[in-house]
Amino acid sequence: MLALNRLVSEGDAKGILEYAREFHGHVCPYLALGIRASLIAMEELGVGRLDCSGSVDESILAVVEVNSCFTDGVQVATGCTLGNNSLIYLDLGKTALTLVKRSSWEGVRVYADAERLRKYYPPGIMELFSRVVRERKGTEEEREHLWELWEEMAHVMLDLPRKEFKIERVKVPPVEQAPIVESVRCSKCGELVMSTRTVYINDEPFCLRCAGESYRAVVGRGIVKVQPRGC
């Protein structure tokens, strides 16, 4: 990812978008919006993309408030990901990113207002989006046309003026670093599970699924509770 780090340091949004295409699977306006918001936040905070040391130390945290294409743009641009414990997801449903320095807990929040951005969209694109994506009823020709328009709009989002964003300095309450916990073996399915995700029944450890306990999951509509059906 050295090349990606260089692209971010140079502010090459179009180059970053090509990496994001591979990561996300397609190019769309909100993927690009996540990149644009990230570059603004990094510039405001005076930080670059997470490198090896930064990701291990969780020195920079990205706090996102929506689980959408926007968040993948943030992960690619900032290097803060769910897997390296530098991405925090708040289930608020807002297109917003807060980038935070762990050393001082000072951060920059960048918010994008969907209604304000509609003026950049070509006529009829939202109706086409609804038909193809929301209703799943579009023809193959309509799908191809939408992807063409979506790619064009993505490049528009990359060049959005700063005035289109709400940018504010914030102070974030300290967040603990991800703990390293032991694993134990479930007495029923025999699989290893983090000790913090086990239930003891008659002094024997069980994973939440085998114990019949509910657990949390991130799905399309946000964070939900799942009731297991057993191992």
Side-chain angles (χ1 to χ4, degrees):
M1 286 297 176
L2 292 177
L4 182 52
N5 289 346
R6 178 178 55 78
L7 291 173
V8 172
S9 67
E10 295 173 353
D12 186 349
K14 291 182 180 179
I16 300 168
L17 184 62
E18 289 309 307
Y19 274 87
R21 181 198 302 273
E22 296 299 319
F23 180 79
H24 186 62
H26 63 266
V27 168
C28 60
Y30 274 69
L31 178 68
L33 195 61
I35 294 172
R36 178 65 176 131
S38 297
L39 291 176
I40 290 174
M42 285 188 283
E43 181 181 358
E44 286 284 325
L45 202 58
V47 300
R49 189 176 188 274
L50 277 188
D51 57 13
C52 179
S53 174
S55 61
V56 171
D57 296 336
E58 303 168 28
S59 59
I60 302 295
L61 299 178
V63 183
V64 294
E65 301 178 21
V66 66
N67 58 324
S68 71
C69 306
F70 176 86
T71 295
D72 273 1
V74 170
Q75 291 190 92
V76 170
T78 65
C80 298
T81 71
L82 183 65
N84 66 24
N85 296 306
S86 296
L87 182 78
I88 296 174
Y89 167 52
L90 305 181
D91 195 14
L92 295 173
K94 296 183 179 182
T95 306
L97 157 69
T98 301
L99 204 61
V100 187
K101 288 181 179 179
R102 183 180 285 278
S103 60
S104 63
W105 298 110
E106 295 176 347
V108 174
R109 183 175 183 268
V110 181
Y111 163 77
D113 192 303
E115 287 187 355
R116 285 175 57 93
L117 300 183
R118 292 287 173 86
K119 61 178 177 284
Y120 292 98
Y121 285 20
I125 192 171
M126 294 310 300
E127 291 80 2
L128 182 61
F129 172 81
S130 292
R131 194 157 56 251
V132 172
V133 179
R134 183 173 293 141
E135 300 173 11
R136 318 286 183 183
K137 294 180 179 178
T139 65
E140 188 58 36
E141 290 77 13
E142 287 176 325
R143 288 174 59 85
E144 291 179 3
H145 185 44
L146 177 63
W147 302 142
E148 291 174 1
L149 293 176
W150 241 211
E151 182 132 0
E152 292 176 11
M153 287 309 306
H155 286 277
V156 171
M157 295 296 112
L158 289 180
D159 294 323
L160 279 179
R162 292 167 62 93
K163 67 180 182 181
E164 294 295 352
F165 296 88
K166 178 182 178 183
I167 305 170
E168 55 187 336
R169 291 275 176 171
V170 296
K171 192 80 172 179
V172 176
V175 179
E176 68 172 344
Q177 287 186 296
I180 306 299
V181 300
E182 298 296 326
S183 293
V184 297
R185 197 170 297 279
C186 175
S187 298
K188 183 176 181 182
C189 68
E191 296 178 350
L192 286 174
V193 56
M194 294 169 64
S195 60
T196 54
R197 297 296 184 273
T198 57
V199 172
Y200 279 79
I201 302 174
N202 296 326
D203 295 326
E204 293 187 354
F206 289 83
C207 68
L208 294 176
R209 185 179 294 150
C210 288
E213 297 285 339
S214 62
Y215 50 89
R216 292 179 292 274
V218 178
V219 299
R221 64 178 180 270
I223 300 173
V224 300
K225 272 194 172 183
V226 177
Q227 188 64 42
R229 298 180 180 178
C231 295

